[in-house]
């Protein structure tokens, strides 16, 4: 990730997201503003993170890798989301992979800085507890619930979560990516391909070369059934 050297903007983003209310002055001074481009990995499963990140702009995709080598999509996160909070507390490797869906801005702070101060900061501990509780609740529910939705709903939800919400939005849909996406949605390439062709036949999406274009946003939202990955 690229660091943006603008300490005024760092303070502004920290204030807008309420971080000035939960971090002490010494921790605020250590915040760094980082920019992640589309597809850039913030944290990989099995790695030991060195920073706690606060997502302040953009969207992140969270997925895990199964023992058979396939990936499973868990959810998408929007501001204000934390990355590396569980690892800060338990000191273990990351359990999931976190990837930027589009350009994202994150405020990062070294574990080294926090480990010396966070245990004595009740406001920060309360903030962390609320964030971790929410994360564990949504992960435990979504990891089982999203598999109960039909593939069509999961695919529609994925499109809504990764594409810009306008009629001209598009997503690269190369064959290799469709195979990878099928694994991530917990289905087969053949089944997902049928879903894509069916949605095209119903003029809900349109396939142009290697891209998908949303033609009927409202119908896609209906199929997604509340956008289950959000």
């Amino acid at each position: 990730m690229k660091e943006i050297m603008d300490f005024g903007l760092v303070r502004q983003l920290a204030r807008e997201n309420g971080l000035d209310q939960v971090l002490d002055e010494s921790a605020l001074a250590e915040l760094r503003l980082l920019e992640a481009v589309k597809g850039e990995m913030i944290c990989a499963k099995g790695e030991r993170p060195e920073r706690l990140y606060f997502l302040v702009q953009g969207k992140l995709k969270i997925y895990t890798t199964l023992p058979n080598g396939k990936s499973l999509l868990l959810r998408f996160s929007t501001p204000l989301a934390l990355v590396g909070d569980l690892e800060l507390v338990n000191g273990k490797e990351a359990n999931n992979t976190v990837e930027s869906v589009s350009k994202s801005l994150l405020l990062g702070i070294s574990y080294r800085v926090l480990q010396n101060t966070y245990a004595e900061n009740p406001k920060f501990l309360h903030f962390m507890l609320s964030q971790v509780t929410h994360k564990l609740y949504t992960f435990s529910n979504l990891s089982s619930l999203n598999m109960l939705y039909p593939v069509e709903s999961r695919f529609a939800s994925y499109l809504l979560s990764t594409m810009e919400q306008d009629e001209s939005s598009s997503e690269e849909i190369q064959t290799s990516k469709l195979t990878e996406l099928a694994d991530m949605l917990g289905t087969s390439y053949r089944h997902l391909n049928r879903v894509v062709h069916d949605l095209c036949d119903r003029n809900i999406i349109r396939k142009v070369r290697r891209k998908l274009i949303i033609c009927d946003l409202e119908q896609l939202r209906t199929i997604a059934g509340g956008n289950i990955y959000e």
Side-chain angles (χ1 to χ4, degrees), residues 203-220:
N203 295 317
I204 296 172
I205 62 175
R206 181 161 51 93
K207 193 172 182 180
V208 180
R209 296 182 181 177
R210 294 181 175 180
K211 290 186 177 182
L212 289 181
I213 297 174
I214 297 176
C215 301
D216 193 329
L217 188 57
E218 290 307 313
Q219 272 291 98
L220 203 63

Side-chain angles (χ1 to χ4, degrees), residues 64-72 183-184 187-188:
T64 190
T65 304
L66 305 178
N68 61 5
K70 295 184 177 181
S71 298
L72 179 65
D183 289 342
M184 196 170 284
T187 188
S188 67

Side-chain angles (χ1 to χ4, degrees), residues 72-91:
L72 179 65
L73 179 63
L74 297 176
R75 63 168 296 168
F76 291 85
S77 289
T78 53
L80 177 69
L82 270 62
V83 179
D85 46 347
L86 296 179
E87 293 76 16
L88 170 65
V89 175
N90 62 31

Side-chain angles (χ1 to χ4, degrees), residues 30-168:
E30 294 292 335
L31 285 173
R32 296 294 180 265
L33 180 58
L34 302 157
E35 179 183 286
V37 298
K38 179 178 180 179
E40 187 168 359
M41 203 170 292
I42 311 301
C43 179
K45 180 174 181 178
E47 288 184 354
R48 190 179 293 274
E50 297 181 352
R51 284 176 171 173
L52 174 67
Y53 296 103
F54 305 89
L55 175 68
V56 293
Q57 189 178 111
K59 182 178 287 189
L60 304 177
K61 177 169 66 176
I62 298 92
Y63 58 94
T64 190
T65 304
L66 305 178
N68 61 5
K70 295 184 177 181
S71 298
L72 179 65
L73 179 63
L74 297 176
R75 63 168 296 168
F76 291 85
S77 289
T78 53
L80 177 69
L82 270 62
V83 179
D85 46 347
L86 296 179
E87 293 76 16
L88 170 65
V89 175
N90 62 31
K92 296 181 179 180
E93 294 83 7
N95 209 32
N96 302 308
T97 296
V98 182
E99 181 183 310
S100 182
V101 174
S102 56
K103 188 178 82 169
S104 300
L105 292 180
L106 304 99
L107 292 173
I109 184 169
S110 168
Y111 281 176
R112 175 184 50 79
V113 173
L114 288 175
Q115 284 167 346
N116 295 329
T117 61
Y118 85 89
E120 301 171 0
N121 185 338
K123 288 184 178 180
F124 181 70
L125 288 176
H126 184 270
F127 170 73
M128 283 279 289
L129 179 61
S130 64
Q131 291 287 330
V132 170
T133 301
H134 173 72
K135 182 178 290 187
L136 291 176
Y137 176 79
T138 53
F139 273 149
S140 62
N141 278 277
L142 284 171
S143 61
S144 55
L145 184 62
N146 66 21
M147 299 308 296
L148 300 178
Y149 281 76
V151 174
E152 183 181 65
S153 295
R154 281 179 265 154
F155 180 60
S157 179
Y158 179 86
L159 292 181
L160 290 171
S161 296
T162 56
M163 291 182 173
E164 295 296 327
Q165 304 303 295
D166 60 69
E167 293 183 358
S168 62

Side-chain angles (χ1 to χ4, degrees), residues 189-200:
Y189 167 78
R190 183 175 296 179
H191 191 167
L192 182 57
N193 201 36
R194 284 200 300 268
V195 168
V196 171
H197 282 292
D198 181 60
L199 292 175
C200 288

